[in-house]
Amino acid sequence: MSELQWVIGTASVTCVAEQDAEIPANAFFPSAADAVLAAHADWLQPWAAGPDATVKIVIQALCVESEGRRIVVDTCVGQRPLPEFFAGMANDGSFLTALADAGFAREAVDVVICTHLHFDHVGWNTMWDGDRWVPTFPNARYVLARPEYEHWRDATEEVRAAGSAVTFADAVTPLFDFDVVDLVDVDHAVTDEVSLTPTPGHSPGHVSVRIRSGGAEALITGDCVHSPVQLAEPDWFTLVDSDTEMSTATRRALVAECRDRDVLVIGTHFPPPTAGHVVSTPDGGVRFRPLT
Ligand SMILES: [Zn+2]
């Protein structure tokens, strides 16, 4: 996959993909009607949807450079077997090479942000050194929203597995042994340009990442949306949203905030070109207009 990069004032965001998948839309969004999906085909296909009622998603890290700091937002699946849903997908570990090629070598990363603690956002937090799980980014502080961490810390293994936090014990817990975690509020400022913003519902303490610099603005979504079709159909929650009413309210608020404004929306699971704008359609609806 080719490298994607966007400039927001004096900050930049570079996309580094780990892997991708194409899945039946209604296996992920239970209320996705084929006819409604087909009605969006003109702007969704081929980049974000297939012809047979599928949606395309990518698992990727969004790497922010701000005020001399290198910040990795979400660390993909990592060096471990994939849960059943993604079993069979390749994961050869080439991600770390791609990350270094993009200017984010392990040792050079200053901050890791996890938008939430599902397995495909925390995987490369740690790596196996032959003996134990150690931080992949040895010089980084790991920024986790406190309510998100506390929710999964207090959950049973069964609840974690059912809620996609199946790797919490080896991708999150070991970080505390190395004292590299900052538990923060859901509106924490990482730099003067980069801050968290609460977007709960997909998981209890889910955050997105807002970048404001030089009059420009961008939003890294995390999983409050998985596919751009959800910006047109914000009521389409996913099977893995912990609170579907709350996730729907969060998506509606995001659409209302970004609609017809110059906010670059960067979709954490969106396929290339990944970033774009939320715009009104002549019939009163909304669509996502990807950058060309
Ligand atoms: Zn998730």
Side-chain angles (χ1 to χ4, degrees):
M1 274 169 271
S2 61
E3 187 178 288
L4 292 166
Q5 188 176 66
W6 309 279
V7 172
I8 300 104
T10 59
S12 67
V13 182
T14 304
C15 179
V16 178
E18 186 194 52
Q19 51 192 303
D20 53 28
E22 184 165 345
I23 51 181
N26 58 19
F28 205 40
F29 311 117
S31 41
D34 288 359
V36 177
L37 190 65
H40 295 301
D42 61 323
W43 62 272
L44 273 181
Q45 290 184 19
W47 68 284
D52 300 317
T54 58
V55 290
K56 300 177 181 180
I57 68 160
V58 179
I59 297 174
Q60 56 202 347
L62 293 159
C63 303
V64 181
E65 203 157 353
S66 165
E67 298 169 10
R69 313 273 284 162
R70 289 189 182 83
I71 304 163
V72 174
V73 181
D74 291 333
T75 62
C76 306
V77 174
Q79 205 174 27
R80 51 176 60 77
L82 291 166
E84 193 174 335
F85 188 66
F86 290 106
M89 288 168 61
N91 186 11
D92 60 7
S94 59
F95 173 76
L96 287 182
T97 307
L99 206 57
D101 289 347
F104 289 74
R106 296 196 297 120
E107 298 76 11
V109 172
D110 300 295
V111 179
V112 174
I113 297 172
C114 297
T115 59
H116 63 303
L117 301 181
H118 287 169
F119 74 93
D120 54 324
H121 298 260
V122 300
W124 284 108
N125 282 359
T126 59
M127 53 195 296
W128 186 251
D129 76 347
D131 194 33
R132 58 180 180 161
W133 293 99
V134 301
T136 301
F137 304 96
N139 301 313
R141 298 300 299 175
Y142 286 72
V143 170
L144 309 180
R146 182 181 292 278
E148 178 74 3
Y149 168 71
E150 291 180 346
H151 171 79
W152 296 112
R153 179 198 63 190
D154 297 341
T156 63
E157 277 301 330
E158 290 72 24
V159 169
R160 289 176 186 168
S164 299
V166 66
T167 59
F168 185 88
D170 62 49
V172 179
T173 302
L175 300 174
F176 287 85
D177 299 334
F178 293 86
D179 197 23
V180 292
V181 179
D182 292 328
L183 291 177
V184 301
D185 294 337
V186 292
D187 59 355
H188 174 74
V190 178
T191 70
D192 288 343
E193 300 172 324
V194 177
S195 60
L196 310 185
T197 187
T199 43
H202 175 64
S203 65
H206 186 280
V207 295
S208 301
V209 177
R210 195 186 298 281
I211 303 168
R212 284 192 174 116
S213 177
E217 183 171 347
L219 185 76
I220 298 173
T221 60
D223 281 6
C224 59
V225 290
H226 286 75
S227 164
V229 73
Q230 288 176 286
L231 296 166
E233 304 292 340
D235 294 356
W236 286 12
F237 56 84
T238 74
L239 286 171
V240 288
D241 289 357
S242 65
D243 181 333
T244 57
E245 270 181 37
M246 191 184 288
S247 75
T248 297
T250 288
R251 273 185 298 281
R252 286 181 180 163
L254 186 150
V255 169
E257 180 203 319
C258 297
R259 185 173 185 165
D260 300 322
R261 285 190 56 230
D262 192 13
V263 178
L264 187 67
V265 175
I266 303 172
T268 292
H269 285 303
F270 291 9
T274 310
H277 295 88
V278 178
V279 297
S280 296
T281 57
D283 62 0
V286 168
R287 56 162 279 193
F288 183 71
R289 185 167 62 208
L291 295 180
T292 51

